[in-house]
């Protein structure tokens, strides 16, 4: 029988059965460790409890990095990563690029969520952060989806709810941008779902720190992983960096040097495109800063 992993504690977790029932399930070491979002085949063990027999091959992994830059998988099979930003706290200069690059490198689709649209950017705030918000129409021109939300007034969260339908999503972003507020509105029955998970595992306290997949009433799943990517992400290699600037693609391979990093080299197709406005200069400048930092 096929099931979906809602939460994983290493040796066991909770799966969602086709009929909608949540059941505690054991994981066998030789099968590998299932993650939140995994599609698995489950069977009854001798004592009638459920056990995972097979993990169905994953489409992708969602990872976080620890302080030592080691990557840890915390979920699988995502359709989209929602990058939440707001006028308060304002994003730092290259935050959106960092997030977009990371999502791109995982092979998952990014969506930018501009929350707190009811707030104005305060006059005394940093110019760089305000500039990030002013770039939203340009991200849309680049092909990214930008959803505007407010947890307090219009436009509310309808646009966001729409894009979550029948897909598996996760929210990332700095502390304070409104992730919990969005989740509370998107999942009015969150407490009930959490309660069902604690009853199935007998591990009530774990649900506040674990990565959990919730069912959306309109269809689809929302993964809540407290604190994920709040303190940044991992270092990207050069290839990931260039590939993540999606508008560079037509110029790749056209520089004079085939090992061009598109910084100070002569006859660089990307530098030239930026100088002529075919690539947005602020994106190119962000690329150069990230190139330096990722050295
Ligand atoms: P998280 O740290 O990303 O989970 O952010 P929270 O959901 O805890 O929200 C941080 C603060 O921002 C709280 O005081 C919320 O009430 C407030 N907040 C969340 N969404 C909005 C919004 O759309 N507009 C305004 N004005 N405040 C919001
Ligand atoms: Zn180049």
């Amino acid at each position: 029988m096929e099931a979906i992993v809602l939460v994983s504690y290493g040796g066991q977790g909770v799966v969602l059965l086709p009929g909608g029932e949540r059941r505690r399930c054991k994981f066998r070491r030789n099968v590998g460790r299932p993650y939140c979002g995994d599609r698995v085949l489950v069977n009854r063990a001798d004592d009638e409890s459920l056990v995972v027999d097979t993990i169905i091959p994953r489409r992708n992994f969602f990872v976080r990095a620890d302080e030592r830059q080691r990557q840890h998988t915390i979920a699988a099979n995502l359709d989209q990563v929602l990058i939440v930003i707001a006028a308060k706290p304002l994003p730092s200069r290259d935050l959106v690029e960092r997030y977009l690059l990371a999502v791109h490198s995982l092979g998952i689709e990014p969506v930018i969520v501009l929350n707190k649209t009811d707030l104005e950017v305060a006059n005394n705030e940093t110019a760089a952060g305000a500039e990030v918000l002013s770039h939203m129409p340009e991200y849309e021109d680049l092909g990214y989806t930008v959803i505007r939300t407010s947890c307090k007034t219009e436009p509310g969260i309808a646009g966001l709810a729409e894009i979550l339908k029948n897909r598996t999503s996760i929210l990332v972003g700095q502390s304070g941008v409104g992730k919990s507020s969005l989740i509370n509105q998107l999942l009015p029955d969150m407490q009930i779902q959490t309660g069902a998970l604690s009853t199935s595992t007998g591990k009530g306290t774990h649900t506040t720190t674990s990565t959990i997949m919730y069912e959306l009433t309109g269809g689809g799943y929302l993964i809540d992983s407290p604190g994920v990517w709040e303190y940044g992400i991992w270092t990207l290699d050069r290839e990931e960096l260039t590939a993540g600037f999606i508008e560079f693609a037509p110029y790749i391979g056209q520089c004079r040097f085939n090992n061009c990093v598109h910084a100070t080299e002569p006859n660089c197709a990307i530098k030239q495109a930026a100088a002529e406005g075919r690539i947005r200069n602020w994106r190119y400048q962000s690329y150069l800063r990230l190139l330096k930092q990722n050295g």
Side-chain angles (χ1 to χ4, degrees):
M1 169 168 46
E2 190 173 328
I4 300 174
V5 177
L6 297 178
V7 59
S8 167
Y9 298 115
Q12 59 150 306
V14 178
V15 297
L16 181 67
L17 299 179
E21 196 189 346
R22 291 176 180 79
R23 284 281 301 274
R24 174 181 179 163
C25 188
K26 290 180 187 159
F27 304 151
R28 281 203 204 103
R29 201 156 298 193
N30 60 349
V31 172
R33 181 184 168 159
Y35 303 115
C36 183
D38 260 326
R39 268 53 178 178
V40 292
L41 299 179
V42 296
N43 236 312
R44 262 175 244 296
D46 304 335
D47 58 357
E48 286 296 292
S49 66
L50 291 179
V51 60
V52 168
D53 268 346
T54 310
I55 301 171
I56 296 172
R58 294 149 174 144
R59 286 189 288 134
N60 54 48
F61 297 91
F62 183 85
V63 307
R64 66 168 181 79
D66 62 21
E67 322 76 55
R68 292 153 77 180
Q69 285 285 310
R70 285 176 306 201
Q71 294 185 21
H72 302 271
T73 298
I74 54 167
N77 301 321
L78 275 79
D79 293 305
Q80 55 194 5
V81 177
L82 309 167
I83 300 165
V84 186
I85 55 169
K88 199 183 167 187
L90 275 171
S92 57
R93 189 162 53 181
D94 296 316
L95 185 82
V96 174
E97 269 64 39
R98 283 179 187 286
Y99 282 175
L100 288 173
L101 288 162
V103 179
H104 192 273
S105 77
L106 297 174
I108 311 175
E109 202 179 307
V111 172
I112 300 172
V113 178
L114 176 61
N115 188 37
K116 307 198 190 186
T117 52
D118 54 294
L119 295 184
E120 301 279 339
V121 178
N123 278 333
N124 57 351
E125 290 290 353
T126 63
E131 203 181 316
V132 175
L133 298 199
S134 75
H135 286 149
M136 291 305 123
E138 297 184 64
Y139 284 114
E140 289 177 300
D141 285 344
L142 285 169
Y144 293 112
T145 302
V146 179
I147 307 280
R148 292 158 180 86
T149 56
S150 170
C151 296
K152 304 281 180 191
T153 60
E154 295 297 316
I157 57 147
L160 182 57
E162 191 57 38
I163 204 161
L164 297 180
K165 230 174 238 173
N166 299 324
R167 312 192 79 195
T168 301
S169 315
I170 189 167
L171 293 166
V172 303
Q174 291 165 276
S175 176
V177 292
K179 297 180 298 298
S180 320
S181 308
L182 290 168
I183 288 173
N184 285 335
Q185 294 200 18
L186 292 163
L187 296 167
D189 66 340
M190 186 180 185
Q191 297 307 330
I192 300 168
Q193 292 198 41
T194 312
L197 292 179
S198 332
T199 323
S200 349
T201 54
K203 292 194 174 190
T205 51
H206 280 228
T207 52
T208 50
T209 51
S210 302
T211 302
I212 298 175
M213 190 158 96
Y214 294 98
E215 285 182 271
L216 292 156
T217 36
Y221 301 95
L222 186 60
I223 295 173
D224 183 24
S225 187
V228 73
W229 289 18
E230 210 157 85
Y231 306 105
I233 46 163
W234 56 95
T235 307
L236 295 156
D237 65 36
R238 225 162 248 182
E239 233 127 75
E240 291 171 315
L241 192 59
T242 322
F245 282 84
I246 52 176
E247 72 273 41
F248 291 6
Y251 307 102
I252 301 292
Q254 295 190 24
C255 305
R256 183 201 288 180
F257 302 111
N258 57 16
N259 61 349
C260 187
V261 298
H262 324 301
T264 55
E265 296 91 339
N267 291 3
C268 167
I270 286 170
K271 196 166 63 176
Q272 192 175 340
E276 292 170 3
R278 285 175 283 128
I279 287 175
R280 286 174 175 77
N281 191 52
W282 61 266
R283 286 270 290 176
Y284 179 60
Q285 294 307 321
S286 176
Y287 166 79
L288 291 178
R289 285 190 296 270
L290 293 174
L291 182 69
K292 235 184 227 165
Q293 289 160 17
N294 280 259

